[in-house]
């Protein structure tokens, strides 16, 4: 957190490295242009190369003989930043409110266990809630939210949770 990067006379904290910082700045600029609905699903990879979003400070680097920009990738490597830039506040609010409700459910389950003094009981619902919480935790790097194989990781536990909520009194 001590390292900073300067762009357009503004200082930004370095997020892991220059590449993640560049992608975050680009996604933030995209969000500022269309805050309500965003630019569209899977458009980060296209928009990051366009004029208002490409960052000249992050020069090209070579990987296997191919020139690439530091601020460009298929996605900004954080679920919430991706949702803000691609789907805007409307897409973001659905996922973030779901994360808040999962967090609340985990806290309630923790205090229920503590109140009832349950120590050695396996609770499948808490495991499923924890899985969803870990997948949606905002302070980590992630894959693309709209990727097929990652969708399975995101949405598969939700099926178990819906089953448990419907068939068992919780």
């Amino acid at each position: 957190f001590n390292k900073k990067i300067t762009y357009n006379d503004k200082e930004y904290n370095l997020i892991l490295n220059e590449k993640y910082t560049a992608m975050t700045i680009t996604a933030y600029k995209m969000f500022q242009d269309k805050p309500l609905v965003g630019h569209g699903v899977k458009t980060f990879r296209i928009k990051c190369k366009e004029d208002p979003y490409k960052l000249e400070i992050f020069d090209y680097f070579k990987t296997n003989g191919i020139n690439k920009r530091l601020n460009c990738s298929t996605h900004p490597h954080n679920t919430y930043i991706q949702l803000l830039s691609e789907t805007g506040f409307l897409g973001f609010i659905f996922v973030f409110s779901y994360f808040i409700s999962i967090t609340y459910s985990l806290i309630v389950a923790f205090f229920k266990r503590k109140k009832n003094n349950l120590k050695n009981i396996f609770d499948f619902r808490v495991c499923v809630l924890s899985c969803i919480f870990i997948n949606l935790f905002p302070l980590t790097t992630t894959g693309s939210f709209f990727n097929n194989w990652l969708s399975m990781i995101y949405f598969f536990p939700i099926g178990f949770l819906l089953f448990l909520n419907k068939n068992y009194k919780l």
Side-chain angles (χ1 to χ4, degrees), residues 19-31:
K19 182 157 180 70
Y20 288 111
T21 305
M23 288 186 293
T24 303
I25 293 169
T26 300
Y28 179 68
K29 286 174 71 176
M30 289 172 63
F31 170 69

Side-chain angles (χ1 to χ4, degrees), residues 22 39 56 58 66 73 80 97 100 124 126 146 155 158 167:
H39 290 270
E56 297 302 328
F58 300 111
I66 300 170
S73 182
Y80 297 101
S97 60
I100 296 297
F124 185 63
V126 171
F146 303 108
F155 301 121
I158 294 172
N167 293 322

Side-chain angles (χ1 to χ4, degrees), residues 72 101 112 120-121 167:
C72 276
S101 73
K112 271 188 186 178
N120 295 325
I121 297 177
N167 293 322

Side-chain angles (χ1 to χ4, degrees), residues 7-56:
Y7 175 70
N8 281 350
D9 298 328
K10 291 183 185 177
E11 278 195 346
Y12 298 94
N13 288 329
L14 200 62
I15 304 169
L16 295 178
N17 61 28
E18 284 186 357
K19 182 157 180 70
Y20 288 111
T21 305
M23 288 186 293
T24 303
I25 293 169
T26 300
Y28 179 68
K29 286 174 71 176
M30 289 172 63
F31 170 69
Q32 285 180 319
D33 280 352
K34 292 188 176 182
L36 195 58
V37 293
H39 290 270
V41 173
K42 291 188 172 186
T43 57
F44 184 83
R45 68 189 83 210
I46 299 162
K47 294 287 184 179
C48 69
K49 298 171 190 164
E50 293 179 0
D51 216 358
Y53 310 114
K54 67 181 178 181
L55 307 175
E56 297 302 328

